[in-house]
Amino acid sequence: MNLIQQLSQYILSGLSTGAIYALIGVGFAIIHNATGIINFAQGEFVMLGGMLTLFFSATLKLPLLLAVVLAIVVSTIAGIVFERLAIRPLKDATPINLVIITIGGSILIRGISMLLWGKETHSLPTFSGDEPILLGEATILPQHLWIFAVTTVLIVFSKLFFSYTISGKAMRACAYNRRAAGLVGIDVRRMVLFSFAISSAMGSLAGIIIAPLTMTSYDVGVMLGLKGFCAAIIGGMSSGLGTVFGGVILGVLEALGAGLLSSGYKDAIAFVILLLILFIRPQGLFRKGESERV
C-alpha cells in the first residue's frame, strides 16, 4: 500500500470515527446550552445504547431493530431519571458541584452495568454485512456508511428542531438567558428535562451504531465520552455544525497520528488537541468570543 492509499484509508477511518465523536459532542452541547452543565455522564449513555441492544437481541432474542428501539427508549428514560434525581433537586449549586454530581452519576451507571452484564467485551452484528466497499484508494465497511448516514440525519434533525419547533426555540431561549426565558413563560425545568432526554437518546444511538466496529462493554463510555467532550470544546459547545467539524477534525487527526506515528498515541492526541484549544482559543474554533460578539 503506497502513501496515498494509506492517507486515504486513515482519513476515511478518521471521518467515520469523527462522526461518532460529533454525535456524542452534540449531546454534551445540548445539555450545556440548556443548563450550563457539563454532563460527564454522557459517555455512559453511549455505553448503555450498545449494552442494552446486546441484552435485548442476544439475551432476550428480540429482532435487532426492536432491540435498537428498546435500547434507545430505556437509555432515554435513564437520562430523564438521572436529571430528575441528580440534577433537579440541586438549587444554587456551583459549577464544580454539578461537575462532581455528573461524574458520580457516571461512576454509578458504570458500576450498575458491570454488576448486570459483567466485565466481558461483547460485539453486535453489523447491520448490513462485512464485505468492504472500495472508495477510490481506500476501503470502507458498510457499518461506516451507517455511521455517516445516522449522524447526518440526526444533525439535520437537530438543526430543524432547534430552528423551527416551539420546544427547540424555547430550549435556545433557555440557553441564551434562563431567567429571561422563565419570565416570558417558558418552563425552564421542562426544557432541561428535554435536553437530557434528547442527549441521552443521541448518545445511546451513537453507542449502537459504533458497537459492531469497536465492540462494547461496561466501561467503553469513559473514553468515548471524553472524546465527544473534546469535539464539543473544539466546536465551541455548539449543538450544530461547529461540533460536527470539531468531531471530524479530532477523528481525522487521531487517525493520522495513530497511523503515521503510533497507535499508542491515539488517545493522547485528543487530549493534546483539547489542551491546545483551551490555551489558544478557549471559546472553541467555531464560536466568537464574548468581546467579539459585543
Side-chain angles (χ1 to χ4, degrees), residues 31-236:
I31 290 180
H32 179 266
N33 289 337
T35 66
I37 297 171
I38 301 295
N39 179 26
F40 283 107
Q42 181 66 19
E44 308 315 320
F45 297 109
V46 178
M47 175 273 295
L48 282 177
M51 293 301 291
L52 285 169
T53 302
L54 181 74
F55 171 73
F56 288 127
S57 62
T59 305
L60 299 186
K61 306 299 182 183
L62 297 177
L64 183 59
L65 180 59
L66 179 58
V68 167
V69 173
L70 287 176
I72 294 172
V73 170
V74 174
S75 299
T76 303
I77 293 172
I80 292 171
V81 170
F82 179 70
E83 190 278 334
R84 293 298 296 266
L85 298 182
I87 304 299
R88 183 169 297 194
L90 299 176
K91 294 182 179 180
D92 301 320
T94 62
I96 188 63
N97 286 340
L98 291 171
V99 168
I100 292 171
I101 286 292
T102 63
I103 293 174
S106 170
I107 295 171
L108 176 63
I109 295 171
R110 192 159 61 249
I112 292 173
S113 300
M114 183 186 68
L115 292 175
L116 289 175
W117 297 305
K119 296 183 178 180
E120 295 81 10
T121 300
H122 308 275
S123 62
L124 282 177
T126 55
F127 296 174
S128 52
D130 300 309
E131 187 69 26
I133 300 170
L134 184 64
L135 290 179
E137 299 288 334
T139 59
I140 189 172
L141 293 174
Q143 192 66 28
H144 287 104
L145 298 181
W146 279 97
I147 292 174
F148 290 133
V150 170
T151 302
T152 301
V153 169
L154 284 181
I155 296 301
V156 171
F157 171 80
S158 175
K159 179 66 175 178
L160 293 175
F161 174 78
F162 286 108
S163 298
Y164 298 105
T165 67
I166 294 175
S167 295
K169 292 177 180 179
M171 289 177 68
R172 289 173 61 197
C174 290
Y176 188 77
N177 191 316
R178 294 183 68 185
R179 180 172 295 180
L183 290 174
V184 298
I186 296 173
D187 189 339
V188 176
R189 287 189 170 187
R190 186 181 176 190
M191 295 303 107
V192 171
L193 188 66
F194 276 173
S195 71
F196 272 85
I198 293 171
S199 65
S200 57
M202 292 180 69
S204 66
L205 187 52
I208 291 167
I209 59 178
I210 199 175
L213 296 176
T214 62
M215 297 193 290
T216 186
S217 67
Y218 80 100
D219 60 349
V220 297
V222 178
M223 193 55 67
L224 286 172
L226 290 174
K227 300 287 184 68
F229 175 64
C230 291
I233 292 296
I234 294 171

